[in-house]
Amino acid sequence: MNYSIEGEPLPVVICSLEAGDTMITEKGAMSWMSPNMKMETTSNGGIGKMFGRAFSGESMFVNRYTSIGGNGMIAFASSFPGSIRPFTIAPGQEIIAQKSAFLASTPNVEMSVFFQKRFASGLFGGEGFIMQRLSGNGIVFLEFDGYIKEYELAPGQQIIVDTGYLAAMTGSCSIEIQTVPGVKNMLFGGEGLFNTVITGPGRIWLQSMPVPQLAGAIRPYIPTGN
């Protein structure tokens, strides 16, 4: 399978498949394809994985597209201005990503739920509490919001991120939700009540325009009915 990613900040990934090759995608993600691509809607793993996908922000069912009788082509477009990034998944090379980041993958990539270790702080930490774990073998395409900045963290090195700006991290990183120190800072600082603390070693991907922040910024300018 070959692919190209084109068109940022409104990107699309175009995949060229050989006969028999299959892609897994979230429902509604297919944008265009050649006529020989066969679609099949499936649970892709049974009840447990269905509910796991739903809990991590995806639909319970996925679509399988297989190239029949020769080479095929299929394209998946991002649902929001930003970036599509490819990741090679292998044992020991897991990726933890934000909810709803999954766009498409080869068949042997598995998605499961990633929880914060500290349930109480994570429960009120918003975007950082429930994330997606991508494991198995293959290539996965993830969609992120806005501009993406990457950092490589050394062992023990930390970075503090406003909740929701963490797009993805390698499985070697650890993450914790912490409250903003000081009551005055929490009430009047305008930065919310929680921050996400990421500790290396590993690589992280930060996004500049999370959808919830954008929605909050434009909400006052949206006309409402009487």
Side-chain angles (χ1 to χ4, degrees), residues 3-169:
Y3 65 87
S4 62
I5 298 174
E6 306 174 16
E8 289 192 10
L10 298 169
V12 59
V13 54
I14 303 171
C15 301
S16 300
L17 309 181
E18 296 182 358
D21 284 352
T22 296
M23 295 293 295
I24 305 294
T25 180
E26 178 74 357
K27 68 175 184 179
M30 190 281 294
S31 300
W32 60 83
M33 64 183 181
S34 58
N36 65 323
M37 296 298 298
K38 177 184 177 182
M39 173 185 158
E40 177 190 9
T41 300
T42 174
S43 63
N44 202 39
I47 297 295
K49 290 189 177 181
M50 288 171 60
F51 283 102
R53 284 193 298 271
F55 208 54
S56 64
E58 305 292 349
S59 61
M60 298 181 71
F61 292 88
V62 297
N63 292 333
R64 295 173 60 95
Y65 289 92
T66 303
S67 181
I68 303 298
N71 294 341
M73 179 272 295
I74 188 167
F76 308 102
S78 177
S79 59
F80 188 80
S83 300
I84 296 175
R85 294 294 178 94
F87 294 89
T88 299
I89 306 297
Q93 298 180 25
E94 298 180 348
I95 292 292
I96 310 299
Q98 67 172 343
K99 292 174 61 176
S100 303
F102 177 80
L103 181 62
S105 74
T106 51
N108 292 326
V109 173
E110 298 182 2
M111 182 194 304
S112 57
V113 180
F114 174 82
F115 289 99
Q116 297 298 336
K117 292 181 180 179
R118 293 180 58 186
F119 181 85
S121 60
L123 185 61
F124 299 99
E127 291 293 316
F129 174 44
I130 301 174
M131 302 181 74
Q132 300 175 348
R133 182 191 302 274
L134 289 311
S135 59
N137 284 278
I139 297 175
V140 62
F141 300 101
L142 302 179
E143 55 176 323
F144 300 146
D145 308 332
Y147 171 76
I148 301 302
K149 176 64 178 178
E150 298 183 25
Y151 290 97
E152 186 74 34
L153 301 181
Q157 183 179 5
Q158 293 184 324
I159 187 168
I160 298 175
V161 181
D162 191 359
T163 300
Y165 285 82
L166 174 63
M169 66 182 188

